[in-house]
Amino acid sequence: MSCLLAKQTSTSLKGVLALMILIHHIYQQTLFGSSSLLIDYVLRSFGYWGVSAFFMLSGYGLMFSLRNGGGYSNKLKKKCRNLYFLTIFLVLLYWLVDSCFNLPVETDLLIKSFVFGGTIVGGGWYLQVTLVIYLAFFFLEKFDSSRIVLYMTIFVSVLIVLMMLAHMSIHWYISLLALPLGMTLYLLENKLIPFIARNYFRVLTSVIVLFSLATICVISRENSFIGKFMNLLSYFTQGIWFSLLIILILQKININNRISNLLGNYSLEIFLLQGISFVILRNNVWYVTSTANYILLSFLFTMFLSYLFKPLFDKILVLR
C-alpha cells in the first residue's frame, strides 16, 4: 500500500461512518437495545467516533490537496463559499419542513443557523465547524504552509477552549483533535507505512489498549477534580484512538465494495438529511410509535432523500 488512505478506501470509509452516525441518531430517538449497557454505550458513542474519523479524513484530505493540487487556495476558497451556499439551502429546507409539521422555530436559533453556534439543520453544526476550519486553513496556509499542521493544531485547540467557555454542547468540539491527527498522518505516511508493516500487531495492540483505557475513563465518571479532568481528556483522546484503529484495520481489511462505495458517495447527504426523516416520522401532526417501523422508515426515508437531493448538493458544491 503506497498510502494510508487511498481515494476509493476513503470513499468507502465515509459510507461506513455515515451509517454509524445514522444508527447513532436513530438510537437516540428510539433507545432500541438499551437494556444492554454495552450496546447502549457503543450506540451512544457511534456518532462521536464516526465524526472523529470524518475529521481525521478531512485533515488528511486537506494536506493531500495542498501538496498535490495546483491553485489549491482558489479551490478551497470556492469550497468554503459553496459550503455556505449549501448551509443556506439546508436552513431554508429544514425551516420549510418544520413549518409544514407545525414545529416552532426559534428566531435566535434560526439566525445562528446562518452564522455559528446553533442550527435548525440536523448535523448542521458539522457544516459550521467544517467551514470555520477550512477558512482557518486557507489563511494559515498563506501565512506559512511549512508549519500548517502546528498552526492548525493551535487553532483547533483554541477553538475548542472558546466553545467550552461558551458552554456549547460537547458534540461541537469533542471530535476536533482528530483533524490535526489526519494532517499528521499524511505528512508522516512514508515513514508510518513501513513502520506499521514491521510492527503491525504491536501497534494494533497498543492502540486497542489505549482506546480501551480511554473508554474506561469515560465510563467511570468520577466526581473528583482529577477524575473529571481524566474523563474529559479521555473523551478527547478516544476519538483519536478510534481513528487510528480504523487506519490500522484498513491496512489489512479491504472495505471497498458496491454497498460501502455507494454509501460513501451519498455520505454527506445521509449525514445532513437524516434530520428531515426524523421530523417527517415524528412531529406535531403524526407520530410513528412503533420502534421497528420507525427504524425501518428512518433508513428508507434518509436514503430516499439522499438520492433525491444528491444532484442538487453536487451542483451547489461545484459552483464556480
Side-chain angles (χ1 to χ4, degrees), residues 56-102:
M56 180 269 293
L57 288 173
S58 294
Y60 186 94
L62 282 170
M63 291 305 298
F64 177 86
S65 299
L66 177 63
R67 296 298 175 90
N68 295 278
Y72 178 67
S73 294
N74 288 331
K75 292 179 182 177
L76 186 58
K77 184 165 60 175
K78 291 177 181 177
K79 190 170 187 177
C80 290
R81 181 201 61 189
N82 294 345
L83 277 177
Y84 188 68
F85 287 161
L86 180 62
T87 299
I88 294 173
F89 166 73
L90 286 169
V91 172
L92 296 176
L93 178 63
Y94 269 80
W95 176 79
L96 177 62
V97 172
D98 287 346
S99 300
C100 288
F101 292 103
N102 299 324

Side-chain angles (χ1 to χ4, degrees), residues 84-132:
Y84 188 68
F85 287 161
L86 180 62
T87 299
I88 294 173
F89 166 73
L90 286 169
V91 172
L92 296 176
L93 178 63
Y94 269 80
W95 176 79
L96 177 62
V97 172
D98 287 346
S99 300
C100 288
F101 292 103
N102 299 324
L103 296 175
V105 177
E106 297 178 7
T107 303
D108 178 59
L109 187 59
L110 184 61
I111 293 173
K112 287 182 178 179
S113 299
F114 291 104
V115 191
F116 189 82
T119 179
I120 65 171
V121 177
W125 68 270
Y126 178 81
L127 268 184
Q128 291 185 356
V129 173
T130 299
L131 187 56
V132 169

Side-chain angles (χ1 to χ4, degrees), residues 1-4 185 188-207 210 241 244 247-248 251-252:
M1 182 175 288
S2 58
C3 62
L4 288 172
L185 288 174
L188 300 179
E189 68 178 351
N190 289 335
K191 296 180 180 179
L192 287 174
I193 290 172
F195 177 80
I196 291 173
R198 292 194 306 268
N199 305 279
Y200 182 78
F201 289 105
R202 185 182 303 174
V203 175
L204 179 64
T205 302
S206 299
V207 172
L210 290 169
W241 304 132
L244 286 174
I247 291 293
L248 291 171
Q251 307 310 300
K252 296 294 183 179

Side-chain angles (χ1 to χ4, degrees), residues 264-276:
N265 288 326
Y266 286 84
S267 59
L268 183 63
E269 291 79 10
I270 292 172
F271 192 3
L272 296 174
L273 295 173
Q274 57 188 258
I276 294 180

